[in-house]
Amino acid sequence: LRDGDVLVVVEVKTRRGGNFGLPAEAVGRAKVARLRRLAAQWLAEHPGGEGRDVRFDVVSVWPQDRGAARVEHLRGAF
């Protein structure tokens, strides 16, 4: 995903309840490291990728019993 000239890597997490914490809290050190490695690999493999700014966002989704899901977009999460 791009936001102007910035490559945006987005991790989407869903929780049906609060028993296991907030969705964004599920993005731990190992997931952050993996996403950074994948972004670096993508940039290296695509023309013009080197030197491009990268932003990592987390989108939290809470499905509701009725109506639309509640969605929270955390820009620049890590």
Side-chain angles (χ1 to χ4, degrees):
L1 177 66
R2 289 188 184 165
D3 185 2
D5 288 336
V6 177
L7 173 67
V8 181
V9 178
V10 181
E11 177 71 10
V12 179
K13 290 293 187 185
T14 302
R15 291 287 183 269
R16 293 208 174 272
N19 294 341
F20 298 104
L22 298 174
E25 293 174 334
V27 183
R29 274 191 250 183
K31 176 61 82 167
V32 167
R34 182 171 188 262
L35 290 170
R36 288 184 188 274
R37 278 193 316 273
L38 290 169
Q41 181 178 349
W42 190 92
L43 290 169
E45 292 177 2
H46 289 80
E50 296 290 329
R52 180 180 297 264
D53 288 333
V54 179
R55 186 179 81 221
F56 295 88
D57 294 0
V58 175
V59 173
S60 300
V61 180
W62 289 273
Q64 304 297 302
D65 290 335
R66 294 173 48 189
R70 192 176 99 207
V71 177
E72 180 181 284
H73 182 181
L74 180 59
R75 294 169 54 106
F78 53 89

